[in-house]
Amino acid sequence: MASWNSLPLEIVYQVLGWVAFVAWSFSFYPQVILNYRRKSVVGLNFDFLVLNMTKHSSYLIYNACVFFCPVIQRQYRDKYGHNEMIPVAANDVAFSIHAVLLTATTLCQVLTYEKGKQKVSKTCIAITSIVWIAAVICTVIAWKDHKWLWLANIFNTIQVVMTAIKYIPQAFMNFRRKSTEGWSIGNILLDLFGGLTNFAQMAVQSIDQSTLVNFYGNIGKTLLSLEVVFFDLLFIFQHYVLYPTKKGLPVSDQESRTA
């Protein structure tokens, strides 16, 4: 069982992890509050929500399995070295649980509030169906050969892929509408801070252990942080540079003037 070499670095690791948890967890609330205040989800892309639910559900399965299952932990150490630390922390599991609950809450708002002509696209339904069918097939294969670490990594891969594509519908909708109205920038700012803090947490563990195994041993967490930073910067550019909100001007007028 691996242990920390430096107590100060271990403390920094834990602090960064829970700071990332708070930032990422609170990043869900601005959108939920915005929807509640407007009593509308117009401007929030439904494909993003459906893909996001698949992403966070997959990430929860991965984090919970690696953190709680001794068999998967043993297979991880057999693959990467018996002195290596498990790359999933308690804050990762806590975040995943919270993310699934808040994404489900936002989906309930879609069913309740005004949504205009928006709907989930056939492409999104197809992608989601293919992903979960593939996940079931992989589960059957893993069950037969007891390849539990491999199965956990499949779900980790799913969350990486879904993270890469889930933002695209929202970014395209902002581009088409020439507006970010209905899409909370508070969500993005907190999400960016959480991504940077999450990456810093992994760096602290690497410094203490003098190895980069936790980066490629949990490549999903590494890519997640990089993807989050990239897309959040894109949304920030859209909101503040490309399509800034004009104060005092109705949203409908803003969109018509930029059309």
Side-chain angles (χ1 to χ4, degrees), residues 10-12 48 74 89 125 154 160 170 173 181 200 217 234:
E10 181 180 4
I11 294 174
V12 171
F48 166 79
R74 184 177 67 250
I125 295 174
I154 289 295
V160 170
Q170 184 68 54
M173 174 183 278
E181 180 68 22
L234 172 62

Side-chain angles (χ1 to χ4, degrees), residues 141-215:
I141 295 173
W143 190 286
K144 178 181 178 181
D145 299 327
H146 303 287
K147 299 164 60 175
W148 303 120
L149 177 62
W150 172 80
L151 179 61
N153 285 331
I154 289 295
F155 282 101
N156 203 11
T157 300
I158 290 174
Q159 73 90 10
V160 170
V161 173
M162 300 308 288
T163 300
I165 66 176
K166 73 174 186 177
Y167 291 110
I168 296 175
Q170 184 68 54
F172 182 74
M173 174 183 278
N174 295 344
F175 167 76
R176 188 180 60 204
R177 297 171 69 230
K178 299 296 185 293
S179 170
T180 58
E181 180 68 22
W183 174 243
S184 173
I185 192 61
N187 168 24
I188 297 305
L189 296 175
L190 287 168
D191 197 40
L192 175 61
F193 181 70
L196 293 173
T197 309
N198 189 57
F199 199 80
Q201 182 194 30
M202 299 178 70
V204 167
Q205 182 176 333
S206 291
I207 293 171
D208 179 83
Q209 300 293 303
S210 299
T211 177
L212 296 176
V213 169
N214 68 301
F215 278 100

Side-chain angles (χ1 to χ4, degrees), residues 229-258:
V229 169
F230 172 79
F231 280 103
D232 285 346
L233 290 176
L234 172 62
F235 285 121
I236 289 172
F237 185 70
Q238 285 185 322
H239 183 81
Y240 290 109
V241 180
L242 295 180
Y243 321 122
T245 300
K246 299 176 179 62
K247 295 183 178 180
L249 185 65
V251 175
S252 58
D253 290 346
Q254 293 177 32
E255 295 184 5
S256 63
R257 291 189 182 190
T258 56

Side-chain angles (χ1 to χ4, degrees), residues 28-44:
F28 289 88
Y29 288 93
Q31 187 67 58
V32 172
I33 294 171
L34 180 63
N35 296 342
Y36 172 77
R37 287 177 175 174
R38 297 169 69 228
K39 296 296 187 291
S40 170
V41 290
V42 175
L44 175 60

Side-chain angles (χ1 to χ4, degrees), residues 61-165:
I61 293 172
Y62 169 79
N63 284 329
C65 289
V66 174
F67 188 78
F68 291 112
C69 182
V71 175
I72 293 179
Q73 294 176 4
R74 184 177 67 250
Q75 292 180 358
Y76 178 88
R77 293 194 175 97
D78 287 343
K79 181 176 181 178
Y80 295 107
H82 291 278
N83 292 324
E84 295 299 331
M85 300 178 69
I86 296 302
V88 175
N91 63 272
D92 296 319
V93 180
F95 163 73
S96 295
I97 295 172
H98 182 270
V100 170
L101 292 176
L102 264 292
T103 304
T105 299
T106 310
L107 286 170
C108 289
Q109 289 182 319
V110 169
L111 300 176
T112 305
Y113 297 148
E114 176 193 358
K115 48 182 168 288
K117 297 180 179 180
Q118 296 176 202
K119 61 182 180 180
V120 180
S121 70
K122 294 181 180 179
T123 301
C124 176
I125 295 174
I127 291 174
T128 304
S129 300
I130 291 172
V131 165
W132 285 113
I133 290 172
V136 170
I137 294 173
C138 289
T139 301
V140 173
I141 295 173
W143 190 286
K144 178 181 178 181
D145 299 327
H146 303 287
K147 299 164 60 175
W148 303 120
L149 177 62
W150 172 80
L151 179 61
N153 285 331
I154 289 295
F155 282 101
N156 203 11
T157 300
I158 290 174
Q159 73 90 10
V160 170
V161 173
M162 300 308 288
T163 300
I165 66 176

